[in-house]
Amino acid sequence: MSTDAVGTTDATAAATSPDTVAGLGDPALLALVTARHQGVLATVKKDGRPQLSNVLYAWDAEAGVARVSVTADRAKTRNAARDPRVSLQVSAEDFWSYAVVEGDAELSAVALDPHDAAADELVETFRAASGSEHPDWEEFRRAMVADRRQVLRVRATRVYGMARLPQP
């Protein structure tokens, strides 16, 4: 891991270091992913160019998995189903610090019933991403079915980026 003149850490090389959390990346970068819930999901379009979507996500630090509620017929969902290579970029408040979670996407089943396993996972994703309870869970569950929602899981294989170091 190297430090540049402005006091940032390039954690790209640290991603495979044995002293990192779960071998994914610099603990400071993983802390950034844990602390935030807004990111940019990158999927691969048919022509090979990236397709970017602003998303809310829930990060499971123990499992190294980010969860995003998606609609079955959206481009990001179709892209991830076709090519599971995805990245989730997370910026810090200072804009200069960021983490990128690279991984393989897995898609849950589409919620077909308000009380099926897919709807249950969407409830848990909402709770974790928003940090709050929905005012009407029955309405939420019905909306998940009507919208054909499912969970896109990003199983992290690597985390890289730049985290500001404390100034002396």
Side-chain angles (χ1 to χ4, degrees):
M1 182 164 34
S2 62
T3 302
D4 66 18
V6 295
T8 56
T9 301
D10 178 357
T12 303
T16 58
S17 172
D19 62 347
T20 58
V21 177
L24 290 177
D26 181 344
L29 297 174
L30 293 167
L32 172 59
V33 174
T34 300
R36 306 285 291 173
H37 297 286
Q38 298 172 330
V40 178
L41 181 69
T43 60
V44 181
K45 295 193 291 187
K46 284 182 188 177
D47 67 4
R49 290 184 294 182
Q51 192 268 329
L52 306 172
S53 301
N54 291 346
V55 297
L56 292 176
Y57 69 91
W59 175 248
D60 180 339
E62 289 182 21
V65 174
R67 291 178 292 153
V68 178
S69 172
V70 296
T71 305
D73 62 349
R74 295 282 167 88
K76 66 180 156 278
T77 310
R78 290 190 312 268
N79 292 340
R82 187 188 66 259
D83 185 340
R85 295 173 301 158
V86 298
S87 296
L88 176 68
Q89 190 269 348
V90 178
S91 291
E93 290 289 329
D94 70 7
F95 178 73
W96 301 108
S97 300
Y98 68 93
V100 177
V101 177
E102 288 184 340
D104 297 315
E106 299 172 354
L107 291 165
S108 75
V110 173
L112 299 175
D113 179 270
H115 296 283
D116 65 15
D120 291 345
E121 187 174 5
L122 287 158
V123 165
E124 291 308 313
T125 300
F126 176 91
R127 282 181 170 140
S130 70
S132 67
E133 294 293 316
H134 192 276
D136 185 341
W137 284 116
E138 286 305 312
E139 175 189 13
F140 176 89
R141 288 171 174 277
R142 286 189 304 272
M144 297 301 100
V145 173
D147 291 349
R148 297 186 28 81
R149 289 212 166 252
Q150 61 192 126
V151 174
L152 184 149
R153 297 179 214 98
V154 181
R155 295 219 176 265
T157 55
R158 178 177 179 223
V159 177
Y160 67 91
M162 249 192 259
R164 287 215 174 266
L165 294 177
Q167 300 299 318

